[in-house]
Amino acid sequence: MLSLAFCASFVLLASSALATSPIKPNRTVLFHSHNDYKQPRPVYDAFDHGFRSFESDLWWDKGAGKFYVAHTIITIDHSKTFQTQTLDRVMKILEGDYSSDYKKDAPNKFLNDPDNQPTSEPDWYKYYAEGFGGVRPIQLLLEIKSNDGETSWPHLMDQLQPLRERGWLTKWEGGKIHYGPVIVVGTGGTPADEMAPKTSRDYFFDCPAGSLNGTIQTSSGSSFHFNSTLCPMSSASYINVPDSNLGLLPPPRKAPAQFHREIVETHHHNSTTRFYGVVPFAPARIDDFNMLIQQGSDWINSDVMSDQAAYNGRS
């Protein structure tokens, strides 16, 4: 019987043989740092490599009044909180105390640019790809893992007060999106039915790509349609798309049409697309990424810092 190690090596060798070079599209490819807290230097490593979107998995500890950053409950390190691993680092970047790539006046430059006008029909791709005044925004994708989103989400929003006080958060107010240099997007256990009815909020939802023609049902019996004022980003698992694969080998011939359908539907709702679950250690991930870009997907969900430069060069 063949060993598991041999089988894994065979798959990787086959993937390497089949993998192609990154394509060079005539547009910006947006890069999201998935499980960013696993990097040696969370936020900073991704930022240094040109990523402008960072993801944190969060566990609420009511007694301590803290969110711990970890993938599972058994891997929680009590020294690693949302404050230390994510928020403080984003604040240092925005305040110009970390890197000349985001200068001290960048947030105000973003806010004061004459093209930065509130809109009821947001162009999220332009927002993410171009920003305003030459400044790219920073996105925080926050996933509550502790299965208590309805009660813990308000506490998480309270922790964003330093960003809120400076006027840096993108918000939905008065029937329009008011762009800011930071956008907060809840995913996973975020209570979408809690945020959808709000007429004023400074956080958004990672909506389900492939299901945007459906509705959100609230506990009170109301229903809301997915739309661009709620959904700057819409995500789906790569391996759950019909005719997909596990990301170990290049996409089968039937896959592009399936991904194209979900991407077109998402863009029809003026949202951007992200597909997560491409295996990070497989060389064939480049084939998967190329296919996604060719079909018009907006975000590449990556755990590999060098991937951004392979497509966009140093940003």
Side-chain angles (χ1 to χ4, degrees):
M1 181 178 292
L2 296 176
S3 69
L4 289 175
F6 176 84
C7 291
S9 298
F10 177 80
V11 168
L12 289 177
L13 286 172
S15 299
S16 180
L18 291 167
T20 55
S21 299
I23 62 174
K24 298 298 181 183
N26 59 355
R27 63 181 175 91
T28 301
V29 181
L30 305 172
F31 271 79
H32 169 70
S33 181
H34 179 241
N35 294 336
D36 182 73
Y37 51 88
K38 291 185 177 181
Q39 299 298 332
R41 298 160 64 245
V43 176
Y44 293 154
D45 284 339
F47 185 86
D48 286 345
H49 283 84
F51 289 65
R52 293 296 180 267
S53 180
F54 320 107
E55 184 171 347
S56 294
D57 289 347
L58 304 170
W59 299 82
W60 172 240
D61 185 325
K62 183 178 179 180
K66 295 179 180 180
F67 284 93
Y68 297 113
V69 179
H71 193 62
T72 65
I73 194 169
I74 63 173
T75 58
I76 288 176
D77 177 340
H78 289 86
S79 69
K80 295 181 178 180
T81 67
F82 173 63
Q83 187 82 33
T84 63
Q85 303 302 105
T86 307
L87 186 58
D88 286 351
R89 295 165 189 250
V90 168
M91 291 294 297
K92 284 183 181 292
I93 291 171
L94 289 164
E95 291 171 346
D97 293 333
Y98 170 71
S99 171
S100 60
D101 286 351
Y102 212 104
K103 297 179 176 61
K104 191 177 292 289
D105 64 341
N108 288 332
K109 185 178 181 183
F110 190 108
L111 292 169
N112 295 330
D113 190 276
D115 290 333
N116 186 4
Q117 299 296 321
T119 175
S120 57
E121 298 180 359
D123 183 346
W124 288 110
Y125 180 75
K126 181 179 180 181
Y127 166 77
Y128 284 122
E130 302 176 18
F132 295 99
V135 179
R136 291 269 299 281
I138 285 176
Q139 175 176 265
L140 301 181
L141 193 65
L142 306 179
E143 178 170 0
I144 295 178
K145 290 278 193 176
S146 44
N147 199 31
D148 56 3
E150 290 188 3
T151 56
S152 63
W153 181 258
H155 295 289
L156 183 57
M157 295 302 94
D158 286 346
Q159 297 200 9
L160 298 176
Q161 194 59 24
L163 293 168
R164 190 173 290 117
E165 288 174 351
R166 290 165 172 80
W168 288 347
L169 291 176
T170 298
K171 59 186 177 181
W172 161 249
E173 188 174 73
K176 294 183 177 181
I177 298 294
H178 300 254
Y179 293 116
V182 182
I183 183 168
V184 173
V185 180
T187 188
T190 302
D193 63 340
E194 180 273 337
M195 68 170 65
K198 288 186 177 293
T199 57
S200 177
R201 52 179 161 74
D202 51 19
Y203 47 85
F204 299 83
F205 189 58
D206 181 19
C207 298
S211 302
L212 296 185
N213 290 329
T215 58
I216 302 167
Q217 303 295 323
T218 69
S219 56
S220 64
S222 301
S223 64
F224 294 87
H225 293 284
F226 293 107
N227 62 78
S228 59
T229 62
L230 178 67
C231 314
M233 169 189 278
S234 297
S235 302
S237 169
Y238 181 91
I239 64 175
N240 286 345
V241 176
D243 294 316
S244 181
N245 60 25
L246 298 177
L248 292 170
L249 294 171
R253 285 183 296 177
K254 292 182 178 180
Q258 299 287 2
F259 282 94
H260 185 73
R261 179 187 61 79
E262 294 200 5
I263 291 166
V264 168
E265 177 187 299
T266 302
H267 288 169
H268 177 73
H269 288 81
N270 289 326
S271 184
T272 61
T273 54
R274 176 182 72 109
F275 294 92
Y276 58 88
V278 173
V279 180
F281 58 78
R285 75 180 184 279
I286 299 301
D287 296 276
D288 297 307
F289 291 167
N290 285 349
M291 183 273 293
L292 290 172
I293 293 168
Q294 288 168 335
Q295 298 310 312
S297 190
D298 307 291
W299 292 93
I300 293 298
N301 184 91
S302 180
D303 296 279
V304 181
M305 296 291 95
S306 60
D307 282 345
Q308 197 277 150
Y311 284 92
N312 293 324
R314 184 71 175 86
S315 71

